[in-house]
Amino acid sequence: MQNERTLKMKREFMTLHEQGFSVKDIAKKFDLNPVTVYANLSDIAKANGCTRESLLRQVHQPPLTYDRQFMPVKEVDVGKYQAKFSSLRKAAKELSNMMAEYVEQEDKI
């Protein structure tokens, strides 16, 4: 006898899978162990006229999960990064000059 969560997962599996959810994502959504979902893949495949292997293939469309729907967009301060890059570039040039001077001194010895 299967529990209600497993039966609901079996009914909704294909819809979620086609939306890009992985087997692990689906298991998490229904609070099931992924092993339980894998064990039921043959039944799900048979009911939907496909193969178990096709259900294991990841759909390329990523799922739009709740977390990703409402994630705030982080603003990037371009000026700050340009200043850091400029500073690093200046330090690299100074280091290069120092190395060149050191090589010159070594050559004289």
Side-chain angles (χ1 to χ4, degrees):
M1 172 98 183
Q2 294 182 339
N3 66 33
E4 184 59 35
R5 288 178 296 158
T6 304
L7 294 172
K8 188 172 181 184
M9 178 276 300
K10 280 184 165 185
R11 286 191 300 268
E12 297 181 23
F13 182 92
M14 290 304 290
T15 303
L16 295 170
H17 186 63
E18 288 168 0
Q19 290 174 4
F21 284 86
S22 69
V23 171
K24 288 181 182 179
D25 294 333
I26 294 168
K28 190 175 182 179
K29 180 176 177 52
F30 290 99
D31 194 28
L32 294 169
N33 187 320
V35 174
T36 302
V37 179
Y38 282 109
N40 286 281
L41 284 181
S42 294
D43 293 340
I44 295 166
K46 187 176 179 181
N48 289 283
C50 60
T51 64
R52 183 177 186 274
E53 290 72 27
S54 68
L55 296 178
L56 291 172
R57 276 190 235 121
Q58 185 67 28
V59 178
H60 295 291
Q61 176 185 353
L64 189 59
T65 60
Y66 179 82
D67 293 340
R68 289 179 43 203
Q69 284 179 11
F70 300 103
M71 265 172 93
V73 176
K74 184 177 179 181
E75 294 291 324
V76 176
D77 184 356
V78 176
K80 175 180 156 184
Y81 288 104
Q82 285 176 333
K84 280 185 178 182
F85 179 75
S86 179
S87 170
L88 288 171
R89 194 170 163 195
K90 182 179 176 184
K93 188 173 184 178
E94 289 174 8
L95 182 60
S96 178
N97 290 339
M98 289 171 54
M99 292 293 290
E101 288 175 18
Y102 176 78
V103 169
E104 276 182 32
Q105 291 175 359
E106 286 291 314
D107 287 343
K108 290 180 183 179
I109 296 179

